[in-house]
Amino acid sequence: MTKLTTLQDAVARYVKDGDTVYAAGFTHMIPFAAGHEIIRQGRKDLTLARATPDLIYEMMVAAGCARKLIFSYVGNPGVGSLRIIREQLENGSLEWEEYSHFSMICRLQAGATGLPFMPMNQTAATDLEKANPQYRRVKDPYTGVEVVVVPPLKPDVAIVHVQRCDAEGNAQIWGIIGEQKEAAFAAEHVILTTEEIVDESVIRSDPNRTVIPAFIVDAVCHVPYASHPSYTQGYYDRDNAFYLEWDRITEDPARVKAYLDEWVYGVKDREAYWQKLPAETRERLQVKQRLAAPVDYGEY
Amino acid sequence: MEYTASELLIINAARLLKDGDTVFVGVGSPNLACNLAMRTHAPSLLMIYEAGVVGSRPSRLPLSIGDPTLVSGAAAVTSMYEIFSLYLQRGNVDVAFLGGAQIDRYGNINATVIGSDYQHPKVRMPGSGGSMEIAGWANRCYVMTPHQKRRFPEKCDFITSAGFLGGRQQRLATGARGGGTQCVVTDLGLLEPDENGELVLTALHTGSTLEQARENTGWPLRSAPDLKHTDPPTERELRILREELDPQGTYR
């Protein structure tokens, strides 16, 4: 059964005010197009969960979509701080729940595997444990040693961008695979955006590469370039210049508003956004081909 | 040959790596230090990135920890859960570089908040990322930082990543498997933990003095009885750094 739909429809149907959203992808394939669509549709009071909120959540926070942030690294990777989020955390206008990367991912792992909690070894650093009551300790029933535990994270909706999938939602990704699979299995609903829709036979030619199976997917949206200014391995490069530019934009609230007006509210969809980017930017982000050696599954 | 303070940091950090080490690499200066070591004395260094990439051979300087150049040509890609569990928690990482706004007397690191009230911070920083587990579980942790008093308080406002807490025994009592902070490389010299886990000055770079180091440290800094001098950067190290690794001079 095809689940093909537009991103507008998918967001309208599966992202509700007050939901907990996990837009997946560790630096790679961050689903910016979906973030922008959520802003355009004016969602409110969202709990935004991501290991690295990145620019996508900073834009959503700036647009007033968020009530709370769940994170483990709230910086602009390689650049510095996320100024808007930082200010809101400092002045208390945004609620937050903070983890380390591993404990954040353990929460998703517990959610994805249906476990009541996930244990981790102690790290010797306990200040975050004291600051966030979601961290608890239990005794290992076999050795008596204390381990740190975190509860499952079960988002209402996970949004995952992929290189290719079929119309049902069998999705294949390569490059950095971060926490996409765990986010998808942990969530109640899954929205996929994809660079390419391929025939089911393409997926079945390489089943090891399928990270998300169709039966947990609710919506499949064909949205090329959906992760810019993040990147999609083998399709286009990370727009590092924009990550640096955002640092300057966020120095001035008026420039942030102007950015959102022009590049989010001012465009209909990702196609319009991509075409609006200067030709030299699109040129700069092109990547040369580097093919993997084919594998032989054998005819049985 | 002339060199900058950051070149001095990178070159001395590179020298701490051993051939065959498995190293958890951070972006920026640590990335340059690892790539420099690989091209000089440690050709079989295995570079692991927290984004889940193993055995990277980056062809350009990555801005972020998740750059696509880390993936193309790498030996393996794993999920985040796997990189932190199979690799780090299991004890398969020898070395890691960490950074933070504060490093205290016992090598603890703060990258979370400045100010004593976590709920109402004076300054909010990015937070742990992977560093809480890295500091807990890697065999050896190294820190690269400019030597400034505000970066070296007696005690961190918040311990994001553990050094030796209040002394070596305190860390041991937690059962955390890693060896803790083994060296802090600054632009003045090297600080290493003594038998109690307190950082002491063990080496000075050419041209810097014990007095300078003391003036720029927030606790009464002791020096090791056999205080050494580091060898100045060689022409070869500087050439590789400038011509091959950072031709744009981003980290000069």
Side-chain angles (χ1 to χ4, degrees):
Chain A
M1 186 192 72
T2 176
K3 291 167 193 156
L4 280 174
T5 183
T6 62
L7 185 53
Q8 288 90 328
D9 286 346
V11 166
R13 186 178 305 182
Y14 295 110
V15 184
K16 307 289 185 203
D17 286 353
D19 273 359
T20 296
V21 177
Y22 200 108
F26 189 79
T27 314
H28 182 209
M29 292 202 288
I30 299 174
F32 273 90
H36 286 187
E37 184 57 34
I38 290 169
I39 293 174
R40 275 193 290 273
Q41 294 194 19
R43 287 297 171 284
K44 296 271 180 260
D45 297 322
L46 300 176
T47 293
L48 298 177
R50 255 184 77 77
T52 61
D54 207 275
L55 274 46
I56 184 177
Y57 280 0
E58 180 142 274
M59 289 172 185
M60 291 168 77
V61 166
C65 301
R67 177 179 67 82
K68 180 177 176 179
L69 200 62
I70 304 178
F71 67 90
S72 49
Y73 178 85
V74 66
N76 180 342
V79 178
S81 74
L82 293 172
R83 213 174 261 108
I84 298 166
I85 291 178
R86 177 182 155 177
E87 276 172 19
Q88 295 205 10
L89 297 180
E90 283 173 353
N91 69 25
S93 55
L94 186 64
E95 288 178 47
W96 81 90
E97 207 174 288
E98 179 174 11
Y99 295 90
S100 64
H101 274 348
F102 189 49
S103 38
M104 181 84 180
I105 298 308
C106 279
R107 290 204 58 190
L108 273 184
Q109 185 80 6
T113 54
L115 282 169
F117 58 84
M118 186 61 70
M120 299 172 296
N121 285 338
Q122 292 186 41
T123 64
T126 55
D127 282 358
L128 194 56
E129 237 180 288
K130 288 175 201 143
N132 178 354
Q134 290 282 50
Y135 281 103
R136 306 274 168 87
R137 289 190 173 209
V138 297
K139 257 195 183 130
D140 170 356
Y142 300 97
T143 65
V145 172
E146 274 195 336
V147 293
V148 178
V149 295
V150 287
L153 178 59
K154 294 178 180 172
D156 295 298
V157 57
I159 305 165
V160 180
H161 184 59
V162 304
Q163 275 108 336
R164 66 185 186 196
C165 67
D166 63 23
E168 261 193 273
N170 290 301
Q172 300 191 328
I173 65 179
W174 54 95
I176 288 169
I177 50 176
E179 77 314 36
Q180 280 97 333
K181 179 166 66 178
E182 292 79 5
F185 274 94
E188 181 66 24
H189 295 290
V190 176
I191 298 174
L192 294 185
T193 58
T194 183
E195 292 293 328
E196 293 186 71
I197 300 286
V198 295
D199 191 80
E200 186 186 335
S201 64
V202 174
I203 301 294
R204 288 180 183 274
S205 77
D206 192 6
N208 275 106
R209 211 181 299 279
T210 304
V211 169
I212 297 170
F215 76 88
I216 63 167
V217 173
D218 293 283
V220 176
C221 312
H222 185 213
V223 189
Y225 305 107
S227 59
H228 177 269
S230 170
Y231 68 100
T232 298
Q233 188 88 31
Y235 287 72
Y236 44 93
D237 204 349
R238 189 170 190 265
D239 193 348
N240 287 330
F242 182 78
Y243 274 79
L244 291 159
E245 172 68 12
W246 181 253
D247 191 48
R248 289 186 286 274
I249 290 173
T250 55
E251 283 170 2
D252 177 2
R255 285 193 69 193
V256 174
K257 185 179 180 300
Y259 175 84
L260 292 175
D261 283 345
E262 181 173 1
W263 292 94
V264 180
Y265 297 112
V267 294
K268 180 167 130 294
D269 55 16
R270 183 70 5 175
E271 164 78 13
Y273 168 97
W274 182 253
Q275 291 308 327
K276 186 175 158 65
L277 284 173
E280 56 268 28
T281 302
R282 286 177 279 152
E283 179 82 12
R284 173 167 57 80
L285 299 176
Q286 285 182 7
V287 285
K288 273 195 295 196
Q289 200 172 55
R290 181 166 173 168
L291 293 174
V295 297
D296 187 357
Y297 280 90
E299 196 67 67
Y300 298 98
Chain B
M1 242 176 124
E2 298 274 307
Y3 46 84
T4 67
S6 63
E7 286 171 336
L8 187 63
L9 276 176
I10 292 163
I11 288 166
N12 276 281
R15 292 172 181 170
L16 296 170
L17 296 165
K18 298 177 189 146
D19 198 21
D21 270 345
T22 299
V23 56
F24 223 78
V25 189
V27 287
S29 307
N31 181 60
L32 287 170
C34 294
N35 279 282
L36 176 61
M38 203 169 173
R39 285 165 204 233
T40 51
H41 64 281
S44 52
L45 196 69
L46 181 69
M47 295 202 281
I48 295 184
Y49 290 79
E50 71 178 15
V53 191
V54 179
S56 285
R57 299 268 170 83
S59 61
R60 68 181 187 198
L61 198 59
L63 177 73
S64 80
I65 201 102
D67 195 276
T69 190
L70 301 174
V71 168
S72 293
V77 178
T78 80
S79 69
M80 277 179 86
Y81 184 77
E82 287 179 346
I83 206 79
F84 279 100
S85 55
L86 305 180
Y87 290 76
L88 188 61
Q89 185 169 249
R90 179 70 177 84
N92 286 313
V93 172
D94 294 310
V95 194
F97 285 98
L98 295 171
Q102 297 179 326
I103 297 111
D104 71 17
R105 187 167 187 160
Y106 291 99
N108 304 300
I109 299 169
N110 178 11
T112 304
V113 289
I114 299 290
S116 54
D117 184 356
Y118 170 81
Q119 296 298 339
H120 304 94
K122 268 190 232 156
V123 180
R124 175 68 229 195
M125 295 179 289
S128 165
S131 68
M132 186 166 125
E133 285 86 16
I134 293 169
W137 304 334
N139 295 334
R140 290 142 49 207
C141 284
Y142 298 132
V143 178
M144 300 165 72
T145 181
H147 208 132
Q148 297 162 354
K149 200 161 199 162
R150 63 181 178 91
R151 290 176 184 270
F152 284 108
E154 164 92 32
K155 212 167 182 293
C156 285
D157 292 349
F158 188 99
I159 298 180
T160 309
S161 318
F164 296 102
L165 305 177
R168 202 178 280 270
Q169 288 308 320
Q170 281 190 21
R171 178 177 172 121
L172 282 175
T174 69
R177 66 162 308 284
T181 308
Q182 297 297 303
C183 188
V184 179
V185 185
T186 82
D187 49 339
L188 297 179
L190 308 179
L191 284 74
E192 292 175 73
D194 68 4
E195 64 285 350
N196 189 33
E198 179 179 332
L199 292 175
V200 300
L201 188 73
T202 55
L204 283 165
H205 301 314
T206 307
S208 49
T209 65
L210 176 58
E211 288 66 40
Q212 266 181 306
R214 285 197 170 133
E215 273 166 31
N216 290 287
T217 303
W219 67 87
L221 180 67
R222 292 187 295 117
S223 68
D226 57 337
L227 184 62
K228 297 181 181 71
H229 282 270
T230 62
D231 293 327
T234 65
E235 266 182 54
R236 178 163 178 250
E237 286 168 325
L238 288 166
R239 182 184 52 74
I240 294 172
L241 196 52
R242 289 171 187 174
E243 291 173 20
E244 296 176 24
L245 299 178
D246 187 18
Q248 312 290 325
T250 313
Y251 294 94
R252 200 166 296 167

